[in-house]
Amino acid sequence: MMLLKTSLRSFFAHKGRMALSLIAVVLSVAFVSGTLVFSNTATSTFDRLFASTASDISVQPPKADLDDEDDEPHATVPTVPAGTVEKVAATAGVKQALGQVFVSNAVLVNPVTNKQVGPTGGAPTLTGNWTDTPRNSVEITSGHVPQGADQIVLDADTAKRAKLGLGDKLRVITATNGTHDFSIAGIATFKTTNPGAALAFLDTPTAQRDLLGKAEFTSVEAFGDGSRSNEQLKADALGKLGGGYQVKTAAEQKEENNKSVGSFLNFMKYAMLGFAGISLLVGGFLIINTFSMLVAQRTREIGLLRAIGGSRRQVNRSVLVEALILGLLGSTLGLGAGLGLATGLIQLMKAVGMNLSAADLQIGLNVPIAAYAVGIVITVLAAWIPARRASRIAPMAALRDHGTPAEARSNVVRSVIGLVLTAGGGGLLVLAAGADKAATGGQYLGLGVLLTLVGFVVLGPLLATTVVRVLGALLPAVFGPSGRLAQRNAMRNPRRTGATAAALMIGLALVIGASVFTSSVVKSTNEQIDKSVGADYVVSSSQGIIGDAMVQAAKRTPGVEHVTEQKELRGVLTGPDGKAVKTRLSAVSAHFTDDFRLPVKAGAVESLQQGSLVVAEDFAQEHGLKVGDPVKIDYGQGRTQSVPVGVVMSKGDSLFNGATFIAVDTVAKAVPELPADAVVYGKAAPGADVAKTLAALEDSLKDYPQLKVRDQAGYKDLVQEQVNTLLYMIYGLLGLAIVVAVLGVVNTLALSVVERTREIGLLRAIGLSRRQLRRMIRLESVVIALFGALLGTALGLAWGVTGQQVLKDQGLASLAVPTGTIVATLIASVVIGLVAALVPAFRAGRMNVLAAIATD
């Protein structure tokens, strides 16, 4: 009880000094708890949606042999015969059976603006037939159901975003069944949650004709009369229908649907937990610093406790109890902040069309458990080192307020450990850069990153003494006494300086490493485009499907010499070694080798159009293939053929790395119904103006707004955009790390000002002005921030360069060091140092000189 009272009094006596550490704990817990609440809420909402709308059993076409992992839209949609509805309806226990048409390969377009309606990525656009089922996901809230070949119903969320209403025109474009115009006859509203998809409904005959091109269905949905379980209904339906169908119960449909949204929700979840992890990591340094300084400031108090009979264990527990109080308070506040964060995420999802309800937050038992576990564990662990140090203070040494020899010995041990870890991590980075295989290099790189990071953190105090001396060398000459004092203050306690700079170091190491990697990706890809791509234009679709009518429109464009088509399909390849490998095949038309310069290691590119296969060097080495060796290709459904290897491509070009090419004419011999084109390339005719031909090509394809036409410069911009997605995520993590790092610098300076109260009073008494005092604190802050920035830059460069070397044979052939980003981060570090020093410098300048001198 006495220990608890002492800890409580000490905590509340220093509550102001603990405030910033409390913020770090709150941030960490908020991200963890907020992420879990959001994830629980979204999962629960979708569970209710799928449970309330799924039929008892769903009869679907057989799954293609090789499509078990392929979620991409297809131009040709698998169907079941119309007679299947009657067969299912006649099954014992089935109350109602309905034929359903739903496709994801149709595009909705506003003919007035010629813009695509609905999501262009992520959630699908689903177009189908209107059916009245006992569990419809939507209900007509305006207008009526589609009646006739010219009417369509649109979901309310999509209609609102596209500013469409009753009577407005809506165009439906399909890759294989042409373009059709409709009038909006009704608006349908989701009964529960709109997962972000756009829904459009036609009447059944129109849906079959315009979407499928035949009087069949994509599935049959059946609802039981309650006399049999869903599993019994499934077994009976399979018995009546025979083989060749997929029959799924409501539970199986729910599981499948959850998988489809799970990838997006998991991405959100793990991204947010990444923010939480960064916050926990850098917040740990802040807490260590806070308790280290509080212990240092209470050295005499601890000595008195020991002198009157307090044991080491009691002193240790006293500090840890304070940390426990901080963790409990921070976890409680963080849990509340997490609910606010979850509400914000739900509002963000509403902005992108996923209508989750903030009034129905799901706070499961895992949320408070995770919140308090994270907040308390990280705080107590971070405070354990200062607590242990406090317990080892000898009573007489504490009363004299002198350091102990053990501290010097611990610094030596720390330095040795830091050097070993850093050297080991550096050695692993060297091994990674020289590894023969990217997988092996990646393992070395991951371990090397971890060891060098921990090594730099442990080695921080030793580096601080040397680096700060160099960084602050000009301060005395430029700023006089203020500069000299700032330099010495930063060097006075290297352990504190190292811990304060570590938080900033981690954030900057991440951004510099990511910047080097992404800059190298862009540079390497651009060089490879210049070297390997002869085509002038790239035509792609937001859905990955380009229909024949679109291809013919491109071919008719004035100034276009020829068009190269590329189709994607799956196949199982079996070489002479007997190993079967599932892979994606790119089937290309005759002009492919004119538009692309393949990196040939062996063979002749002319053989591609003569019926041979083009494989990557890694694939050839793994399976012992050489030019002329036969490879059996199984396209599924009994369609097979044997083709010889005609070209082995050398590795090192990311455009073709891991690709397998085959001629369209070759595939057509085994697969009569080829898929639609995935991408189309165009070549300007000799003498034609490339820019004018680009405009003409865009004009030829203007009726298909889902298509995007790019020249080579636009193609390079696309690569840059894709890379920037990763970079912006890293920048987000950096932003959070910087926030906590700034808190750490502010906390360190604020506590050091309190710690040096008498010293500051004496400095003011002998003539140091308020301006000089504030300047001293600002310069000290800048030096610490620059120290962290330099360490982070060194680490980030080492990580980024090594990452590029690991992947040099996978297409990342050129190294690019973003000097602009590095300079910007160093300048930003100076600004961070100045901002962090504002409040501590202001407080120091307002100290009463006599009161400061009299402080004990």
Side-chain angles (χ1 to χ4, degrees):
M1 184 60 70
M2 181 62 69
L3 176 66
L4 179 61
K5 287 183 178 179
T6 303
S7 299
L8 285 171
R9 286 175 181 173
S10 178
F11 179 85
F12 288 108
H14 304 102
K15 56 183 180 295
R17 306 179 196 181
M18 296 246 187
L20 295 178
S21 294
L22 183 67
I23 293 174
V25 178
V26 169
L27 280 175
S28 305
V29 173
F31 277 107
V32 172
S33 59
T35 300
L36 293 177
V37 170
F38 169 76
S39 178
N40 290 348
T41 302
T43 301
S44 172
T45 302
F46 281 110
D47 282 346
R48 289 197 302 272
L49 169 67
F50 299 144
S52 63
T53 58
S55 58
D56 291 330
I57 59 169
S58 176
V59 179
Q60 301 170 9
K63 202 172 188 70
D65 296 351
L66 304 177
D67 283 349
D68 55 335
E69 298 174 0
D70 189 2
D71 295 326
E72 297 178 1
H74 295 273
T76 304
V77 181
T79 58
V80 298
T84 310
V85 179
E86 285 74 24
K87 292 181 180 179
V88 174
T91 303
V94 173
K95 180 180 181 181
Q96 182 182 18
L98 299 165
Q100 192 168 75
V101 175
F102 260 117
V103 300
S104 60
N105 61 4
V107 177
L108 305 179
V109 175
N110 183 345
V112 176
T113 62
N114 199 39
K115 290 184 178 180
Q116 195 169 339
V117 173
T120 56
T125 295
L126 300 175
T127 311
N129 65 325
W130 179 270
T131 56
D132 287 316
T133 76
R135 300 172 195 160
N136 267 359
S137 60
V138 294
E139 59 184 352
I140 301 293
T141 53
S142 179
H144 55 79
V145 300
Q147 300 168 350
D150 62 343
Q151 294 185 1
I152 195 169
V153 168
L154 188 64
D155 77 89
D157 296 323
T158 303
K160 182 179 179 180
R161 286 194 298 270
K163 298 179 180 178
L164 294 171
L166 295 178
D168 288 336
K169 297 295 182 182
L170 187 64
R171 181 169 295 157
V172 178
I173 302 175
T174 64
T176 55
N177 295 297
T179 299
H180 312 277
D181 288 340
F182 302 92
S183 294
I184 297 177
I187 301 295
T189 301
F190 276 84
K191 293 180 179 178
T192 53
T193 295
N194 178 359
L199 294 185
F201 301 92
L202 311 170
D203 66 15
T204 297
T206 305
Q208 290 176 320
R209 183 187 69 243
D210 293 348
L211 301 178
L212 301 179
K214 51 189 174 183
E216 296 188 350
F217 298 103
T218 55
S219 69
V220 176
E221 308 301 324
F223 302 87
D225 58 13
S227 62
R228 295 171 179 264
S229 69
N230 290 349
E231 291 293 341
Q232 289 176 314
L233 288 176
K234 175 181 177 178
D236 292 345
L238 283 171
K240 185 173 286 290
L241 295 171
Y245 292 93
Q246 297 181 87
V247 180
K248 297 179 180 178
T249 64
E252 290 169 336
Q253 294 174 62
K254 177 183 171 183
E255 182 181 357
E256 186 177 46
N257 288 328
N258 278 332
K259 278 185 181 178
S260 65
V261 298
S263 58
F264 171 73
L265 293 178
N266 283 339
F267 173 79
M268 288 284 295
K269 179 178 179 178
Y270 293 129
M272 294 302 297
L273 289 177
F275 280 79
I278 291 293
S279 181
L280 285 170
L281 186 60
V282 295
F285 291 109
L286 196 161
I287 295 165
I288 289 173
N289 245 13
T290 300
F291 278 92
S292 294
M293 297 181 74
L294 289 175
V295 166
Q297 292 170 21
R298 290 159 49 198
T299 301
R300 182 168 294 179
E301 175 188 324
I302 292 171
L304 287 171
L305 284 174
R306 293 294 311 281
I308 62 174
S311 66
R312 284 187 175 185
R313 179 176 295 181
Q314 286 176 315
V315 171
N316 192 358
R317 286 181 178 176
S318 174
V319 177
L320 290 179
V321 167
E322 290 182 49
L324 180 62
I325 296 169
L326 179 67
L328 280 169
L329 183 58
S331 298
T332 303
L333 295 176
L335 185 57
L339 297 180
L341 179 62
T343 303
L345 287 173
I346 287 172
Q347 296 303 320
L348 178 63
M349 290 299 99
K350 280 189 176 181
V352 298
M354 187 182 290
N355 293 328
L356 301 176
S357 174
D360 192 26
L361 292 179
Q362 298 296 310
I363 308 172
L365 189 60
N366 65 330
V367 176
I369 289 175
Y372 283 101
V374 165
I376 293 172
V377 169
I378 191 65
T379 307
V380 172
L381 283 179
W384 180 79
I385 296 174
R388 183 171 175 271
R389 194 178 302 145
S391 68
R392 298 178 65 182
I393 298 175
M396 297 310 297
L399 292 174
R400 289 196 304 268
D401 206 13
H402 292 306
T404 63
E407 186 174 335
R409 287 196 300 271
S410 69
N411 286 337
V412 172
V413 173
R414 181 190 184 105
S415 299
V416 171
I417 293 174
L419 286 170
V420 170
L421 288 172
T422 304
L428 286 169
L429 294 181
V430 172
L431 288 175
D436 293 331
K437 294 184 178 180
T440 304
Q443 292 173 350
Y444 286 145
L445 174 61
L447 190 55
V449 166
L450 179 62
L451 288 183
T452 50
L453 176 60
V454 176
F456 264 52
V457 169
V458 175
L459 206 57
L462 179 63
L463 294 172
T465 304
T466 305
V467 177
V468 170
R469 180 178 284 110
V470 175
L471 285 176
L474 291 177
L475 294 183
V478 178
F479 297 102
S482 296
R484 185 179 301 279
L485 289 168
Q487 181 193 30
R488 291 182 177 178
N489 285 338
M491 293 170 56
R492 175 187 297 180
N493 193 326
R495 181 177 289 176
R496 179 194 305 163
T497 299
T500 304
L504 193 59
M505 176 190 74
I506 293 169
L508 293 181
L510 280 174
V511 76
I512 296 296
S515 296
V516 170
F517 179 79
T518 53
S519 297
S520 298
V521 169
V522 172
K523 182 180 179 181
S524 299
T525 305
N526 287 346
E527 289 178 352
Q528 287 160 10
I529 290 172
D530 293 336
K531 176 182 176 182
S532 303
V533 180
D536 295 307
Y537 315 108
V538 180
V539 181
S540 58
S541 169
S542 60
Q543 290 192 313
I545 298 174
I546 302 176
D548 185 63
M550 306 170 195
V551 176
Q552 296 306 318
K555 288 181 177 179
R556 292 192 298 267
T557 302
V560 173
E561 181 185 37
H562 65 255
V563 164
T564 297
E565 301 172 55
Q566 180 173 323
K567 304 174 186 292
E568 301 292 336
L569 63 161
R570 291 186 182 274
V572 175
L573 275 58
T574 306
D577 61 354
K579 294 180 180 177
V581 180
K582 184 187 293 184
T583 188
R584 184 183 294 274
L585 293 160
S586 296
V588 294
S589 57
H591 288 289
F592 180 76
T593 51
D594 298 328
D595 290 341
F596 291 89
R597 294 175 283 276
L598 298 179
V600 178
K601 182 178 179 66
V605 293
E606 294 79 12
S607 65
L608 175 62
Q609 296 303 326
Q610 297 168 4
S612 72
L613 193 67
V614 178
V615 299
E617 181 180 356
D618 286 339
F619 183 85
Q621 289 177 347
E622 185 177 350
H623 299 281
L625 292 172
K626 60 182 184 298
V627 173
D629 285 349
V631 175
K632 178 185 176 182
I633 306 176
D634 184 352
Y635 299 102
Q637 298 179 344
R639 302 167 300 182
T640 63
Q641 67 180 164
S642 180
V643 297
V645 174
V647 176
V648 175
M649 295 184 295
S650 57
K651 53 188 174 183
D653 192 324
S654 61
L655 295 179
F656 308 110
N657 190 45
T660 303
F661 295 105
I662 190 170
V664 169
D665 293 341
T666 304
V667 178
K669 295 175 183 178
V671 185
E673 293 185 4
L674 289 172
D677 292 331
V679 62
V680 168
Y681 306 97
K683 180 71 174 178
D689 186 297
V690 177
K692 289 182 179 178
T693 305
L694 173 65
L697 187 57
E698 289 174 333
D699 186 64
S700 297
L701 300 173
K702 65 181 180 181
D703 291 336
Y704 309 104
Q706 73 269 35
L707 300 184
K708 182 70 175 179
V709 184
R710 296 180 177 89
D711 56 11
Q712 284 200 18
Y715 190 38
K716 292 177 182 177
D717 290 341
L718 176 63
V719 173
Q720 179 78 63
E721 290 171 9
Q722 292 171 340
V723 167
N724 282 346
T725 302
L726 169 65
L727 197 56
Y728 293 152
M729 175 67 72
I730 301 298
Y731 284 165
L733 291 173
L734 170 70
L736 179 64
I738 285 179
V739 168
V740 183
V742 169
L743 293 177
V745 178
V746 171
N747 208 32
T748 298
L749 292 174
L751 289 173
S752 68
V753 166
V754 175
E755 184 181 84
R756 303 195 312 249
T757 299
R758 180 185 292 178
E759 176 187 321
I760 290 171
L762 289 171
L763 288 172
R764 294 278 287 114
I766 62 175
L768 193 71
S769 67
R770 287 187 175 181
R771 176 178 295 180
Q772 288 175 313
L773 177 62
R774 290 170 180 161
R775 181 184 297 162
M776 175 192 77
I777 294 173
R778 286 196 297 269
L779 291 175
E780 181 182 348
S781 178
V782 167
V783 168
I784 293 173
L786 272 176
F787 170 59
L790 287 176
L791 294 188
T793 300
L795 273 181
L797 284 172
W799 297 347
V801 171
T802 305
Q804 182 269 327
Q805 288 295 306
V806 168
L807 295 175
K808 63 183 177 182
D809 289 335
Q810 308 300 314
L812 208 62
S814 300
L815 174 66
V817 177
T819 53
T821 301
I822 293 173
V823 171
T825 55
L826 292 176
I827 293 173
S829 300
V830 174
V831 175
I832 289 169
L834 291 173
V835 170
L838 288 177
V839 174
F842 178 75
R843 290 184 63 188
R846 294 188 63 188
M847 278 188 185
N848 181 286
V849 176
L850 294 177
I853 294 173
T855 299
D856 186 11

